[in-house]
Amino acid sequence: MTATKAQQRAVNKYMKENYDEIKVRTDKGKKEKIKAHAESRGESVNAFINRAIDETMGRDQQ
């Protein structure tokens, strides 16, 4: 089922109010490796990247 224009506007508004976006660039081919790794752990790419950031920032604070 396709979202109506009103539904898409509501989603866009929610995303803008509740999330920040960061664009990440990687070398050609690395995206698929990241995706495969995330899937092997039952995560989305977004969840994997957020976990990696949180774990690294936690280690850096020690």
Side-chain angles (χ1 to χ4, degrees):
M1 177 180 226
T2 305
T4 66
K5 289 182 181 183
Q7 288 170 324
Q8 191 58 51
R9 280 193 306 271
V11 168
N12 290 342
K13 181 181 178 200
Y14 176 84
M15 295 291 283
K16 185 177 180 179
E17 291 174 353
N18 293 283
Y19 295 98
D20 288 327
E21 286 190 59
I22 300 172
K23 187 170 188 170
V24 177
R25 297 182 191 275
T26 65
D27 295 333
K28 275 282 192 200
K30 193 171 184 182
K31 177 182 173 182
E32 288 305 315
K33 290 178 184 178
I34 292 168
K35 184 177 178 184
H37 179 79
E39 288 175 355
S40 75
R41 299 189 49 92
E43 296 177 304
S44 66
V45 170
N46 191 66
F48 166 65
I49 291 171
N50 276 297
R51 182 173 59 83
I53 291 168
D54 291 343
E55 289 179 6
T56 301
M57 288 174 63
R59 280 195 308 268
D60 289 351
Q61 289 177 352
Q62 294 176 357

